[in-house]
Amino acid sequence: MDFAPYQDTDPQSTRAFSPPPQRATSRSPNPKSPPPNRGTTNPFLASTLPAPSHFSDEPRGDSRGFGNTDLEGGRANINLFDTSLPLRLDHEAMLAYLLLPPAGGVFLLLVEHKSDYVRFHAWQSSLVFTAMFIIHLIFSWSSILSWILFVFDLGLIAFLTFHAYQDANNLDRIELPFFGGLASSFVDAE
């Protein structure tokens, strides 16, 4: 069919028309329903339906019993102490503070995907030491304030590194007042 705005021929001339309606002898159709099945009285018998195990994804013949099925597809087998890198959990958490903060935290955020504990410390390290870097830039005009901030940075790195190492056994998190809650919300949102 040609839909150009100006045509030589009428588009209705090439159109396929519908067949004419057939005239029935009666005015209303009389649909016939299938005859009732008189052999069975209950159409919902269990023999007509497949067993529930037919719809299961589990292999046939696996009877674990009620409540023993793994509903989350192996999620219960996740080890909370696994990491993406071939390092121990406590060592990775320490590296978030020891690898040239905040760059070490950003590096661990990029490479660590398994451990929320390491990711929390990486987020906290990135946030805290980025703020400390900005504070260093603001107070860079005074050498005495810069040295005081530098000593404070070293103490904060030592404190956070010690707690990241010590608290890895039970996955406790040492949260700094503002940045810890922010880092925890980032990890929980992932």
Side-chain angles (χ1 to χ4, degrees):
M1 198 178 244
D2 188 14
F3 292 106
Y6 301 106
Q7 301 174 4
D8 294 338
T9 60
D10 183 27
Q12 297 293 332
S13 64
T14 58
R15 188 178 123 206
F17 293 104
S18 300
Q22 295 188 5
R23 303 283 177 198
T25 57
S26 67
R27 299 205 32 82
S28 65
N30 187 8
K32 295 189 176 194
S33 61
N37 188 359
R38 303 217 192 277
T40 60
T41 57
N42 186 359
F44 301 106
L45 285 175
S47 64
T48 61
L49 297 175
S53 63
H54 175 75
F55 301 104
S56 173
D57 290 335
E58 295 178 6
R60 304 282 189 247
D62 185 19
S63 59
R64 293 196 230 171
F66 180 74
N68 292 333
T69 59
D70 187 10
L71 297 177
E72 294 188 6
R75 191 173 170 102
N77 297 330
I78 292 176
N79 187 357
L80 296 175
F81 296 97
D82 280 346
T83 61
S84 298
L85 297 176
L87 296 171
R88 289 181 14 194
L89 178 78
D90 50 358
H91 292 169
E92 270 191 50
M94 286 175 23
L95 285 178
Y97 301 109
L98 292 177
L99 281 180
L100 192 63
V106 172
F107 171 73
L108 284 175
L109 284 174
L110 293 174
V111 298
E112 178 59 52
H113 301 288
K114 288 183 180 179
S115 174
D116 285 347
Y117 183 76
V118 174
R119 288 189 65 80
F120 165 77
H121 285 289
W123 272 113
Q124 181 167 277
S125 170
S126 300
L127 294 170
V128 167
F129 291 108
T130 300
M132 289 302 293
F133 179 73
I134 293 170
I135 291 172
H136 276 281
L137 288 177
I138 292 171
F139 292 110
S140 64
W141 54 270
S142 172
S143 63
I144 293 181
L145 285 176
S146 292
W147 279 104
I148 290 172
L149 285 173
F150 180 70
V151 170
F152 178 74
D153 283 346
L154 291 178
L156 188 61
I157 289 171
F159 174 76
L160 291 172
T161 302
F162 174 74
H163 278 284
Y165 179 76
Q166 183 183 18
D167 296 340
N169 292 335
N170 51 8
L171 299 177
D172 282 342
R173 298 176 178 174
I174 183 78
E175 293 186 5
L176 295 178
F178 172 73
F179 300 105
L182 193 60
S184 190
S185 69
F186 287 160
V187 170
D188 292 341
E190 292 177 345

